[in-house]
């Protein structure tokens, strides 16, 4: 991408256009395009999908002649959808005409997900749109997993374009365990080819997650030290400061391991641990990720700490409420809202290095990051005054890369202290507006790029790692350890991390640089 001074503004439009020029050229589609939102009345559609499509439309990044069709069981109009979605859209007063043009390209149909005649009507409507009979079609299944089978069957049977391409976006969770995931994959494969299936994990669209490959393979300095000889441990963290917020009924069916650890954190682990791919083509990248997953043994319950948050009597607002206080959560539920696990990648590069995965709700802060802690400097001459170096990639909030190093303490001293080499995006790229993860990924779907989507092989190997643990938790009804809302999580998790080899010094905290 052409360099600019950091003081110049990059709009989302400029970022995307430059990205598309570099990756896909300037070719425009010869067919019309129709984006179908199945589950158009739901929260995901209202809060994410429609706002994402609006941003792409506003910036002129979608293919020409793109139309949008909502489908759900609710009795709605396009005006109803607009009313529900606009509060979640970024619309300025100068963009009102553009917003009207966007919704003029929208339509909505009511139908049942298990009714073939409803999908016949949907197909007739799609064909009636300008160029619709030959249009490319993207089907976004923003639906509960319980209807995946019937909806995908009806799409494949009734709604496929005969002349344009067809692509189906499937939201996680991709199954409940190995067997259910394989059943779903087999079902989808009976209807669509693998290059028509886009299993979306929005974390793969995050700026810093996508930056992991460039950081690793575009910098000479990291290659020689990115291995078991120099890395003491790798910590992958996902923390949310809020609880289930009334969505506990949905969360209780899956728990934190299925919801976060088995997908978001494991995907980041693969990008940290994989070997350099032959190229940046989707197949080459995903093949290397699968190799990593095949080297990870199923996680043992002895390497796991489970927790469930309870209310803080001295807290404010929702922090007073525990998980079991959510009226949508079944009474006495043992579903974990926190998990810490230690995994090992049994290959030549990483053998013996612990990969520590931590994730939870109702914790003390919002944070998602990858942290590599390096081994001690041999032959210490500073009287144990040096701490371990750490390379930290902050995914959210406030994207950053920083390297913790030892330097001489300023002034009339000769003692070392910790400081950092810091690349905070808001400081270095002050006026750059980073595209949302869903914007990147939906644009990838239109461009036919599957690099940042999950393939069936990845799913199978990922579920092999966690299914035995999940079955043991369910069968033995393991009791999660209570932890107070707003805390770091169970203290037992800190002990697990310490035993695994992570050294927490407790004397340094990253200070967010000023962006003024």
């Amino acid at each position: 991408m052409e360099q600019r001074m950091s003081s110049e503004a990059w709009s989302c439009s400029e970022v995307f256009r430059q990205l598309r020029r570099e990756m896909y050229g300037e070719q425009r589609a010869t067919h019309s395009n129709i984006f179908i939102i199945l589950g158009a009345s739901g929260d995901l559609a209202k809060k994410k999908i429609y706002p994402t499509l609006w941003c792409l439309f506003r910036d002129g990044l979608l293919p020409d002649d793109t139309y949008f069709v909502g489908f759900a069981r609710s009795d709605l109009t396009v005006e109803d959808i607009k009313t529900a979605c606009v509060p979640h859209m970024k619309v300025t007063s100068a963009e009102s005409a553009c917003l009207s043009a966007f919704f003029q390209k929208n339509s909505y149909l009511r139908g049942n997900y298990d009714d073939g005649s409803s999908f016949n009507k949907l197909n007739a409507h799609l064909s009636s749109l300008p160029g619709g009979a030959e249009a490319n079609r993207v089907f976004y299944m923003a639906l509960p997993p319980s209807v995946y089978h019937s909806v995908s069957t009806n799409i494949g049977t009734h709604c496929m374009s005969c002349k344009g391409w067809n692509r189906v976006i499937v939201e996680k969770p991709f199954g409940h365990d190995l067997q259910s995931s394989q059943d779903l994959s087999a079902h989808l494969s009976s209807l669509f080819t693998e290059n028509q299936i886009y299993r979306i994990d929005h974390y793969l669209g995050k700026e810093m997650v996508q930056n992991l490959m460039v950081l690793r393979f575009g910098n000479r300095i990291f290659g020689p030290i990115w291995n078991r000889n120099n890395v003491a441990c790798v910590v992958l963290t996902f923390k949310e400061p809020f609880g289930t917020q009334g969505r506990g009924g949905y969360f209780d069916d899956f728990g934190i391991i299925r919801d976060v650890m088995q997908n978001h954190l494991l995907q980041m682990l693969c990008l940290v641990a994989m070997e350099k791919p032959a190229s940046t083509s989707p197949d080459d990248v995903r093949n290397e990720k699968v190799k990593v997953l095949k080297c990870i043994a199923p996680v043992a319950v002895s390497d796991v700490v489970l927790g469930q948050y309870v209310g803080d009597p001295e807290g404010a607002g929702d922090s007073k409420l525990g998980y079991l206080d959510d009226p949508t959560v079944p009474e006495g539920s043992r579903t974990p809202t926190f998990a810490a696990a230690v995994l090992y990648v049994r290959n030549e590069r990483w053998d013996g290095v612990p990969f520590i995965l931590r994730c939870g709700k109702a914790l003390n802060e919002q944070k998602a990051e990858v942290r590599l802690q390096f081994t001690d400097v041999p032959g210490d001459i500073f009287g144990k005054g040096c701490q371990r170096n750490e390379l930290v990639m902050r995914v959210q909030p406030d994207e950053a890369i920083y390297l913790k190093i030892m330097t001489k303490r300023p002034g009339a001293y000769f003692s070392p202290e910790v400081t950092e080499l810091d690349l905070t995006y808001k400081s270095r790229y002050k006026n750059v507006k980073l595209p949302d993860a869903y914007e990147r990924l939906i644009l990838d779907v239109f461009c036919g790029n599957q690099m940042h989507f999950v393939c069936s092989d990845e799913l199978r190997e990922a579920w092999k790692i966690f299914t035995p643990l999940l079955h043991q938790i369910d069968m033995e009804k393991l009791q999660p350890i209570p932890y107070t809302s707003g805390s770091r999580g169970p203290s037992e998790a800190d002990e697990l991390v310490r035993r695994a080899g992570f050294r927490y010094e407790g004397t340094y905290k990253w200070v967010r640089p000023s962006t003024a």
Side-chain angles (χ1 to χ4, degrees):
M1 188 175 289
E2 294 177 5
Q3 293 184 344
R4 283 194 182 189
M5 297 299 292
S6 60
S7 60
E8 292 186 40
W10 277 82
S11 68
C12 285
S13 175
E14 289 174 306
V15 171
F16 271 139
R17 285 192 183 113
Q18 184 69 12
L19 178 65
R20 190 160 78 173
R21 278 197 297 269
E22 291 182 358
M23 296 183 68
Y24 315 114
E26 297 286 0
Q27 293 182 351
R28 288 285 180 170
T30 56
H31 295 282
S32 296
N33 296 270
I34 307 175
F35 194 101
I36 303 100
I37 304 102
L38 299 139
S41 60
D43 267 6
L44 179 62
K46 174 176 66 177
K47 295 178 180 178
K48 280 294 181 183
I49 301 174
Y50 277 107
T52 296
L53 293 171
W54 151 246
C55 289
L56 294 174
F57 177 86
R58 176 197 63 198
D59 290 335
L61 301 173
L62 293 177
D64 297 334
D65 300 320
T66 298
Y67 297 87
F68 313 96
V69 178
F71 182 89
R73 291 176 292 209
S74 303
D75 188 11
L76 299 173
T77 64
V78 171
E79 192 62 31
D80 293 329
I81 292 173
K82 180 179 179 180
T83 300
C85 295
V86 164
H88 306 283
M89 292 175 165
K90 300 172 184 176
V91 185
T92 67
S93 57
E95 294 168 343
S96 57
C98 187
L99 183 68
S100 296
F102 170 72
F103 278 106
Q104 284 172 6
K105 290 206 165 191
N106 274 263
S107 53
Y108 176 82
L109 269 78
R110 179 186 180 187
N112 293 318
Y113 296 134
D114 58 354
D115 177 23
S117 64
S118 293
F119 283 82
N120 276 331
K121 292 177 182 176
L122 174 60
N123 185 58
H125 175 70
L126 300 178
S127 298
S128 71
L129 295 172
E134 300 181 356
N136 303 317
R137 297 179 181 181
V138 179
F139 299 89
Y140 199 121
M141 292 171 54
L143 299 161
S146 58
V147 298
Y148 280 0
H149 279 67
S150 58
V151 170
S152 56
T153 297
N154 281 319
I155 291 171
T157 304
H158 303 286
C159 293
M160 300 287 276
S161 175
C162 296
K163 295 188 177 180
W165 47 252
N166 298 275
R167 293 167 187 162
V168 180
I169 304 174
V170 185
E171 273 280 349
K172 75 175 184 68
F174 312 116
H176 200 256
D177 57 10
L178 177 60
Q179 186 59 54
S180 60
S181 175
Q182 288 186 311
D183 290 345
L184 178 60
S185 291
H187 174 74
L188 293 174
S189 296
S190 70
L191 299 166
F192 317 108
T193 62
E194 184 65 21
N195 63 7
Q196 291 177 315
I197 303 170
Y198 289 72
R199 300 174 188 85
I200 190 168
D201 180 342
H202 76 275
Y203 249 66
L204 291 177
K206 297 280 188 182
E207 175 72 22
M208 293 309 301
V209 175
Q210 295 192 356
N211 199 10
L212 272 168
M213 276 187 60
V214 178
L215 186 72
R216 280 199 60 192
F217 304 122
N219 293 288
R220 179 71 180 90
I221 60 172
F222 293 125
I225 63 172
W226 209 273
N227 54 49
R228 61 189 174 92
N229 297 323
N230 298 282
V231 177
C233 57
V234 180
V235 183
L236 301 106
T237 301
F238 178 97
K239 300 169 75 173
E240 289 182 332
F242 48 83
T244 51
Q245 297 180 322
R247 297 183 66 249
Y250 167 82
F251 180 86
D252 200 76
D253 287 338
F254 300 98
I256 198 70
I257 295 176
R258 291 182 177 94
D259 193 45
V260 176
M261 187 175 284
Q262 184 269 342
N263 38 72
H264 298 339
L265 292 186
L266 203 57
Q267 284 292 328
M268 290 197 291
L269 183 154
C270 289
L271 292 170
V272 171
M274 73 181 193
E275 298 297 318
K276 181 187 286 188
S279 73
T280 56
S281 75
D283 286 344
D284 287 340
V285 172
R286 298 198 297 184
N287 286 343
E288 294 301 332
K289 289 163 66 178
V290 170
K291 290 178 185 177
V292 171
L293 294 170
K294 287 183 175 180
C295 293
I296 302 175
V299 61
V301 71
S302 58
D303 289 328
V304 176
V305 170
L306 304 175
Q308 186 184 90
Y309 69 89
V310 296
D312 179 4
E314 299 179 0
D318 288 345
S319 65
K320 287 182 177 291
L321 303 176
Y323 179 68
L324 297 179
D325 296 322
D326 185 329
T328 64
V329 172
E331 184 177 354
S333 170
R334 297 188 178 187
T335 297
T337 61
F338 174 95
V342 183
L343 280 62
Y344 292 90
V345 180
R346 308 292 187 183
N347 64 14
E348 184 176 3
R349 179 181 294 273
W350 296 111
D351 193 28
V353 176
F355 284 75
I356 302 164
L357 281 59
R358 293 172 59 110
C359 52
K361 290 183 171 294
L363 296 175
N364 59 326
E365 61 182 329
Q366 180 178 7
K367 181 169 73 173
E369 69 177 24
V370 179
R371 182 179 298 261
L372 277 74
Q373 187 174 86
F374 293 92
T375 54
D376 295 314
V377 176
D380 176 33
I381 63 173
F382 297 105
K384 297 184 179 180
C386 291
Q387 299 179 17
R388 287 177 171 178
N389 299 137
E390 292 183 352
L391 177 65
V392 182
M393 289 147 281
R394 177 70 60 92
V395 177
Q396 68 178 31
D398 300 320
E399 294 89 345
I401 303 169
Y402 60 97
L403 178 65
K404 289 171 60 175
I405 61 171
M406 302 304 302
T407 61
K408 175 188 169 297
R409 186 179 175 189
Y413 308 94
F414 196 70
S415 56
E417 71 172 6
V418 182
T419 186
E420 74 281 328
L421 301 176
D422 191 333
L423 170 60
T424 296
Y425 270 47
K426 284 187 177 179
S427 177
R428 172 62 179 86
Y429 306 111
K430 290 185 178 179
N431 296 308
V432 175
K433 298 178 178 66
L434 297 177
D436 176 80
Y438 275 92
E439 293 175 50
R440 298 172 192 266
L441 295 175
I442 287 179
L443 185 62
D444 277 345
V445 174
F446 276 102
C447 295
N449 179 15
Q450 291 185 305
M451 179 190 295
H452 302 118
F453 294 84
V454 183
C455 69
S456 57
D457 290 351
E458 287 179 80
L459 265 185
R460 182 181 65 250
E461 299 303 327
W463 278 117
K464 283 182 181 179
I465 296 167
F466 284 102
T467 291
L469 170 68
L470 291 165
H471 284 178
Q472 185 175 354
I473 292 171
D474 293 340
M475 287 187 295
E476 298 181 10
K477 300 186 184 303
L478 298 182
Q479 182 69 47
I481 300 166
Y483 65 94
T484 304
S485 178
S487 69
R488 284 172 42 83
S491 59
E492 289 84 349
D494 292 332
E495 176 60 21
L496 173 70
V497 171
R498 187 195 63 78
R499 290 201 313 268
F502 179 78
R503 185 179 299 167
Y504 178 68
E505 305 289 351
T507 59
Y508 171 86
K509 186 172 180 62
W510 177 67
V511 178
R512 184 178 292 112
S514 171
T515 58

